[in-house]
Amino acid sequence: MTTARPTALVTGASAGIGAAFAELLAQEGHDLILVARRAERLNELAERLTKQHGATCTVLTADLTDPGAPDELMASIRERGLTVDVLINNAGMSGSSAFADTPWSELAGEIQLMITAVTQLAHLVVPDMLARGHGRIINLSSLAAFAPPGESLLYTGIKTYVLGMSQALDMELKPHGVHVTALCPGFTHSEFHDVMGTREAASHLPSIMWQRPEAVAREGWTAVNRGKPVCVPGMFNKVASHAMRPVPFRAQYVLGRNLNPFKN
Ligand SMILES: NC(=O)c1ccc[n+]([C@@H]2O[C@H](COP(=O)([O-])OP(=O)(O)OC[C@H]3O[C@@H](n4cnc5c(N)ncnc54)[C@H](OP(=O)(O)O)[C@@H]3O)[C@@H](O)[C@H]2O)c1
């Protein structure tokens, strides 16, 4: 059932960039499905967005490191008669301990949260989007996808996967009205560095390197609507990403689409 207002599913809506996306999409006339682990935060946000923007908000708590979570979420969404017009695949974090010292359960959780759940949620919502001939998916990658890999961290590799997967998905789906964008922020004011335990080091970085989550969400939303498969928000980050990568994204995308010898 399609409601009059389109519905956006935002993962990691309890803080930072996800909460900013929820606010922006509510302002722009969407109903919301808000997902994260902290129910209280989500309920407060839902109440505020309903009051301020008239958005109908559904709160679904889930731990996306749980391999069963994406299917359970979709089952709850379908039970409520909701369809997803916009997917913001945002929930994420970075571990900071050395690879060899980190229990496998933690590493597997990072992969599940930021690779498998991201991919599976897209896979779950795409068939309905294709049937309607319209959909928008934003996957949170990172400026880290363009940076030299950090020693012992899975994060760079994970966000590089998200970047590549989003571009491939966009190539496949855009002709059918479904746009996919890899949103690649640099340092963004949020709880990310508190969770990672790097707040002290991050606080010494110059302010030119930082963006507000609202600005990141706004630029990502504009990019996906304009059909841009990659969005690096903010002038500092754009310059940094170009400096770190000699072939521009646009040229890579066009080359990738046109020179693939395995294309059907
Ligand atoms: N901040 C930055 O500098 C930066 C830069 C580049 C990319 N990013 C990316 O942007 C995205 C959002 O990060 P942020 O900066 O907004 O960080 P944040 O403020 O820490 O927010 C992270 C969100 O993800 C949710 N989350 C974390 N683990 C989860 C789990 N196991 N299950 C469900 N939800 C989970 C958190 O909710 P609960 O704790 O309530 O579950 C929270 O809502 C991430 O993918 C991150 O990698 C951030």
Side-chain angles (χ1 to χ4, degrees), residues 24-264:
L24 172 69
L25 293 169
Q27 262 170 24
E28 301 242 328
H30 293 73
D31 288 336
L32 291 157
I33 302 165
L34 303 171
V35 176
R37 291 166 301 183
R38 287 171 289 178
E40 203 179 316
R41 288 273 196 107
L42 294 178
N43 285 323
E44 279 167 19
L45 179 66
E47 206 177 302
R48 189 165 62 71
L49 297 182
T50 302
K51 217 180 271 174
Q52 290 179 354
H53 306 295
T56 301
C57 296
T58 304
V59 167
L60 298 175
T61 51
D63 182 346
L64 290 167
T65 63
D66 172 358
D71 274 333
E72 284 167 22
L73 274 179
M74 275 323 282
S76 304
I77 288 166
R78 292 202 174 112
E79 261 169 35
R80 289 166 169 80
L82 299 169
T83 48
V84 177
D85 301 283
V86 176
L87 169 63
I88 311 291
N89 251 327
N90 164 80
M93 45 74 72
S94 175
S96 55
S97 53
F99 180 79
D101 298 338
T102 311
W104 173 246
S105 58
E106 276 182 37
L107 298 175
E110 286 184 43
I111 294 167
Q112 181 67 38
L113 172 65
M114 291 180 284
I115 290 187
T116 310
V118 165
T119 312
Q120 195 181 356
L121 282 172
H123 192 252
L124 286 163
V125 301
V126 156
D128 282 349
M129 289 181 174
L130 288 177
R132 289 193 300 278
H134 187 87
R136 298 288 181 259
I137 299 175
I138 294 180
N139 296 323
L140 263 291
S141 175
S142 169
L143 190 62
F146 307 101
E151 194 181 313
S152 300
L153 291 181
L154 296 190
Y155 191 75
T156 304
I158 286 174
K159 294 303 185 181
T160 304
Y161 166 82
V162 174
L163 175 63
M165 168 272 206
S166 303
Q167 292 178 92
L169 212 54
D170 187 70
M171 277 183 206
E172 180 180 324
L173 301 177
K174 194 183 280 140
H176 309 287
V178 180
H179 297 186
V180 184
T181 294
L183 177 56
C184 309
F187 292 102
T188 307
H189 293 291
S190 71
E191 296 174 8
F192 185 84
H193 287 282
D194 305 306
V195 175
M196 192 179 169
T198 48
R199 172 60 60 206
E200 162 60 16
S203 69
H204 297 300
L205 295 173
S207 60
I208 191 179
M209 296 179 78
W210 289 88
Q211 274 196 297
R212 302 290 320 160
E214 295 77 14
V216 171
R218 167 70 59 191
E219 206 170 325
W221 183 234
T222 302
V224 78
N225 285 314
R226 289 190 180 156
K228 284 177 70 179
V230 179
C231 171
V232 179
M235 192 45 70
F236 177 88
N237 298 328
K238 281 185 184 52
V239 172
S241 67
H242 281 296
M244 289 186 285
R245 216 178 163 107
V247 183
F249 312 132
R250 186 97 208 114
Q252 284 184 30
Y253 186 86
V254 171
L255 289 171
R257 192 180 50 204
N258 295 318
L259 298 183
N260 180 358
F262 309 111
K263 207 170 166 184
N264 293 323

